[in-house]
Amino acid sequence: MSQFDLVVIGTGPGGYVCAIKAAQLGLKVAVVEKRATHGGTCLNIGCIPSKAMLHTSELFEEAAEHFEDFGIKVGKPKLDLKAMMGHKQKTIDGNVSGIEFLFKKNKVTPFHGTGRILAAGRVEVTAEDGSKQEIEAKSIVIATGSDVAPLPGVEIDEKQIVSSTGALELDKVPGKLVVVGAGVIGLELGSVWRRLGSEVTVVEFMDKILGPMDADISRNFQRILKKQGVEFHLSSKVTAVEKTGKQLAVTVEPAAGGEAAAKTLEADVVLVAIGRRPYTSGLGLEEVGVALDERGRVKTDGHYQTTVPGIYAIGDVIVGPMLAHKAEDEGVALAEMLAGQAGHVNYGVIPGVVYTSPEVAEVGKSEEALKAEGISYKVGKFAFIANGRAKATNHTEGFVKVLADAETDKVLGVHIIGHGAGEMIHEAAVLMEFGGSAEDLARTCHAHPTMSEAVKEAAMAAFAKPIHA
Ligand code: FAD
Ligand code: NAI
C-alpha cells in the first residue's frame, strides 16, 4: 500500500495547486484524478477553452466589423470553425500537459481513477478497467469541484440542448441560440456564438443580468450587450424545450409564473447555464461522516477541515464563489496549514471577471451591499470615453467606479466595464489588500497613455476631483 502525508482527490485549480504547494513545503503528496488529463473543469472544459474561444471570436468580429474603422481593408473574413476549435484544443493540451510536468518537477505522485474515501487516512482508487488500489495518507483533501446544475424537465444532450461543455464543442454556428441564465457562462458563451454569427436570446429568472454584481454595472453592461445584438427576457423562466426535428421550441414564462403569458422562442441550440453545483458523488462521504450543507457543499471550518478530522475540502465543492483563483488560493492556504504554517485567504478581496467584450471586473463590495450593511460611502466614476488610450484604440465603452468609505476614504469596492478590465482590476485588489484609500490610488503615478489612468481618475473623483472630466 502506498503511504503519503497528503492525498488530494481532484486535480482542478484547487487540487493541483494544493498538491504542488504541499510538495514544495516538504510533504509527500499523491493526487487522484478520474479524468484522463489534469486541470479539472477549468483547464479542460471551463476557463481555458472558453477564453480561447472568446479570444478567437473577438478577433473574428474585429476583422469583420472594426478593421475598416482603422483603415485596414481585408475583405469579409471567413470562419474556419474547425481550425478555431483546433486552436482551443491546442490551448487545452498545452495547459494540461503543463500540470503533468509540474507534478513531475515537484515529485507529486498521480493516480488515475475515481477516488473514494474509506475512512480518515484511507482512499480507494478505482481505475477505468475496474482495478482497485488503496492509498494511505495522514491528510485527505477533497477538491472534486462542481458540475452543471440541471434545469428541471430539460434534458441536456450536449448537441442541441447543451451545457457549457457542449457549447464549447458545437460543430457549426447555430442560427438561433437561446441561453437560459444571464450569469457568467451565459454571457461569455452567448458572446462567443453571437460574434460568430448566431442570433442570441438570453432568458434570465432575475430582473437583472449577472445577479450579484453592482446594479449600475449590470444595467450598463446589459445596454452594451443589447447594442451588440443580444436579446434579453428578464424576470422570465424557461419551462420546457421541445424538439421538433432539428428545431427547438422554447417555452418562456414570467418568473412569477403564469402560463397565460407564456411565449415560445425558436432555437437551433439551447444553452443551459443556470449555475453549477458541488460535485461529491461517489466519494463515500456519507459513510465516513463528512457532512454537507443545505446546498450539498462539503461543510468546513476556518481551516478547511470537514466534520471528520484529517479530511479537508477546498474549491467549488465548498462555500464561496465558484472561481478558479478562489480554489487556488484555498489550495495554497491549506497546504501551508498542513505544513505547519499560517495559511490565509482574504475573501473580501477576490476579483471577479467576465471575459466578454468589453470585460466586466469587480473587487470588493457593490453599492447595494454597502447600503445593506449601512456603510456610508462615496462614489468616484470615470468614463473611458475621456481616456486618451481608449480613444486611440476605439475602446471607449464603459467606466470605472470606485467606492470608498465616506469617512476614512478606504477603498471598499472597484467596478469596471471596459477593454482590459480583467487586468486593470488587480491594482485595485492590491490596494485593497493593503487597506489603501482612494487618495492612495489617486496619488499613485500611472503611465500615460493607458486605460488604467481611468482607474486613477475614478479614484480622484472619489477623493477630490478628476482632471479629465
Ligand atoms: P474542478 O476544476 O471542477 O476540478 C475537480 C476535479 O476533480 C475534476 O478534474 C474531476 O474530474 C475530479 N474529480 C471529481 N470527483 C473525483 C473523484 N471521486 N475521484 C477523482 N477525481 C475526481 N473560473 C474562473 O475563475 N475564471 C474563469 O474564466 C472561469 N471560466 C469558466 C468557464 C466555464 C465554461 C466553466 C464551466 C467554469 C469556469 N470557471 C471559471 C469556474 C472554474 O472552472 C472553477 O471554479 C474551478 O475549476 C474550480 O476548481 P476546483 O479545483 O474546485 O474543481
Ligand atoms: P451563474 O450563477 O453565474 O448564473 C446563473 C444565472 O442563471 C443566474 O443569473 C440565475 O438567476 C439564472 N437562473 C437560474 N435558474 C434559472 C432559470 N430556471 N431560468 C432562467 N434563469 C435562471 O452560473 P453560470 O453562468 O452557470 O456559471 C457557473 C459558475 O461558473 C459561476 O459560479 C461562475 O463563477 C463560474 N464561472 C466563472 C467564469 C468567470 O470567472 N469568468 C466564467 C464562467 C463560469
Side-chain angles (χ1 to χ4, degrees):
M1 192 181 311
S2 313
Q3 302 246 346
F4 294 88
D5 293 317
L6 170 67
V7 58
V8 181
I9 307 176
T11 59
Y16 88 71
V17 167
C18 183
I20 291 172
K21 186 71 191 173
Q24 287 172 348
L25 294 174
L27 302 192
K28 190 178 173 208
V29 183
V31 291
V32 183
E33 175 55 57
K34 64 178 184 166
R35 230 176 229 290
T37 52
H38 298 298
T41 303
C42 182
L43 273 62
N44 290 282
I45 52 166
C47 328
I48 295 300
S50 63
K51 268 75 241 175
M53 291 300 287
L54 279 154
H55 178 67
T56 47
S57 65
E58 207 174 316
L59 288 181
F60 181 73
E61 189 174 60
E62 278 283 298
E65 309 275 335
H66 304 300
F67 273 16
E68 286 212 2
D69 302 342
F70 297 105
I72 306 167
K73 289 190 189 292
V74 288
K76 198 172 154 34
K78 261 178 75 185
L79 175 66
D80 182 346
L81 188 56
K82 219 170 146 202
M84 201 176 259
M85 291 291 178
H87 165 74
K88 180 201 70 179
Q89 193 55 47
K90 223 169 86 189
T91 314
I92 296 172
D93 295 345
N95 277 280
V96 299
S97 61
I99 308 298
E100 221 172 288
F101 164 79
L102 289 173
F103 281 160
K104 272 199 194 106
K105 183 176 165 193
N106 290 285
K107 302 195 170 47
V108 171
T109 309
F111 289 84
H112 276 284
T114 302
R116 198 165 77 90
I117 303 173
L118 301 175
R122 288 173 56 211
V123 172
E124 177 188 73
V125 183
T126 307
E128 228 180 304
D129 64 7
S131 60
K132 292 183 192 299
Q133 59 182 316
E134 210 175 303
I135 310 173
E136 272 191 3
K138 284 183 207 133
S139 307
I140 298 172
V141 174
I142 301 166
T144 49
S146 62
D147 195 7
V148 177
L151 179 60
V154 177
E155 202 177 318
I156 290 172
D157 60 20
E158 298 296 14
K159 295 268 178 261
Q160 278 180 289
I161 305 176
V162 298
S163 71
S164 53
T165 306
L168 288 164
E169 293 282 332
L170 297 178
D171 55 10
K172 69 173 199 274
V173 179
K176 288 184 178 167
L177 172 67
V178 170
V179 176
V180 193
V184 201
I185 291 182
L187 299 184
E188 285 188 0
L189 297 183
S191 292
V192 164
W193 293 106
R194 185 201 57 73
R195 286 174 203 153
L196 299 181
S198 298
E199 267 177 44
V200 176
T201 306
V202 179
V203 181
E204 166 57 47
F205 192 81
M206 289 171 44
D207 60 0
K208 69 192 273 263
I209 67 169
L210 292 175
M213 280 220 175
D214 189 278
D216 186 14
I217 294 283
S218 161
R219 206 175 34 250
N220 277 286
F221 185 52
Q222 190 189 344
R223 210 175 48 216
I224 290 171
L225 291 177
K226 240 179 130 176
K227 221 167 73 192
Q228 293 177 357
V230 180
E231 285 281 323
F232 288 95
H233 295 269
L234 299 186
S235 305
S236 302
K237 61 183 178 190
V238 167
T239 51
V241 181
E242 265 177 56
K243 283 186 189 176
T244 47
K246 289 201 160 161
Q247 282 286 302
L248 300 168
V250 183
T251 310
V252 180
E253 284 182 19
E259 277 175 43
K263 284 178 269 197
T264 304
L265 303 175
E266 269 180 24
D268 300 289
V269 171
V270 170
L271 163 59
V272 177
I274 58 165
R276 293 179 62 82
R277 56 183 182 182
Y279 185 79
T280 53
S281 154
L283 273 176
L285 298 188
E286 209 176 312
E287 292 86 328
V288 289
V290 170
L292 304 181
D293 70 11
E294 71 296 342
R295 290 171 66 181
R297 299 173 294 206
V298 177
K299 267 192 192 168
T300 50
D301 64 14
H303 295 88
Y304 305 108
Q305 185 158 266
T306 68
T307 45
V308 176
I311 304 181
Y312 302 83
I314 54 169
D316 278 12
V317 80
I318 70 167
V319 69
M322 288 183 166
L323 295 173
H325 40 286
K326 176 260 193 188
E328 288 182 42
D329 283 10
E330 287 178 345
V332 169
L334 176 55
E336 287 172 336
M337 288 182 214
L338 293 175
Q341 300 183 354
H344 176 68
V345 176
N346 180 359
Y347 289 96
V349 186
I350 295 185
V353 179
V354 189
Y355 298 86
T356 41
S357 177
E359 289 181 346
V360 180
E362 56 153 25
V363 63
K365 294 192 193 291
S366 63
E367 276 198 64
E368 293 67 40
L370 291 172
K371 278 184 194 141
E373 289 172 34
I375 299 170
S376 51
Y377 62 93
K378 35 188 194 164
V379 183
K381 263 182 156 183
F382 192 82
F384 285 106
I385 189 82
N387 173 280
R389 181 68 176 276
K391 279 202 180 92
T393 56
N394 279 3
H395 287 130
T396 50
E397 255 172 343
F399 58 90
V400 181
K401 173 160 134 177
V402 171
L403 303 173
D405 189 287
E407 273 160 42
T408 65
D409 194 40
K410 183 176 173 181
V411 172
L412 303 172
V414 174
H415 305 266
I416 309 175
I417 302 179
H419 180 77
E423 302 293 340
M424 282 184 273
I425 200 68
H426 294 106
E427 67 167 305
V430 172
L431 180 96
M432 288 172 69
E433 274 292 344
F434 286 90
S437 64
E439 182 175 356
D440 290 328
L441 191 46
R443 289 194 187 277
T444 302
C445 188
H446 282 60
H448 176 74
T450 56
M451 297 287 281
S452 299
E453 284 174 291
V455 178
K456 175 184 163 124
E457 294 257 15
M460 285 169 100
F463 134 79
K465 274 190 171 169
I467 299 288
H468 295 94

